[in-house]
Amino acid sequence: MQTHAVSSKKATNLSLSADVLAEAKSLGINISKACDECLRELVRRERARRWKEEYAEFIEAYNRIVEAEGVPLAEWRSF
């Protein structure tokens, strides 16, 4: 599990499903922490998706080269 450096917090208003919020509270779930962790993961995934989209042409070209010529320095691989 990753830990994150303490960053400043900003108060915000959220609209959450009342039933889920009530159950989370009854289970002792820290709503702010849960929302923050989920949002961090969504941001991480979206950044990765956009990076793949931005570099898709390069990745495709590199894969074509590897398919045609093999992995660079393959003769020195030990696995």
Side-chain angles (χ1 to χ4, degrees):
M1 182 176 204
Q2 286 185 344
T3 57
H4 300 283
V6 176
S7 61
S8 62
K9 304 265 181 171
K10 180 168 175 54
T12 187
N13 293 321
L14 297 172
S15 296
L16 302 170
S17 300
D19 58 333
V20 175
L21 180 60
E23 188 167 5
K25 283 183 177 184
S26 73
L27 294 170
I29 295 173
N30 180 323
I31 307 302
S32 293
K33 181 179 177 185
C35 289
D36 191 60
E37 288 174 357
C38 184
L39 189 56
R40 281 184 191 279
E41 179 60 20
L42 289 170
V43 167
R44 185 195 66 75
R45 281 194 228 154
E46 181 61 15
R47 284 178 142 176
R49 186 195 68 76
R50 289 182 184 200
W51 185 92
K52 287 178 186 176
E53 185 178 279
E54 184 178 348
Y55 292 99
E57 288 181 29
F58 170 80
I59 293 167
E60 288 174 26
Y62 179 79
N63 287 338
R64 283 193 299 272
I65 292 169
V66 169
E67 188 175 314
E69 301 175 15
V71 178
L73 307 174
E75 61 198 76
W76 289 285
R77 287 176 64 177
S78 61
F79 53 94

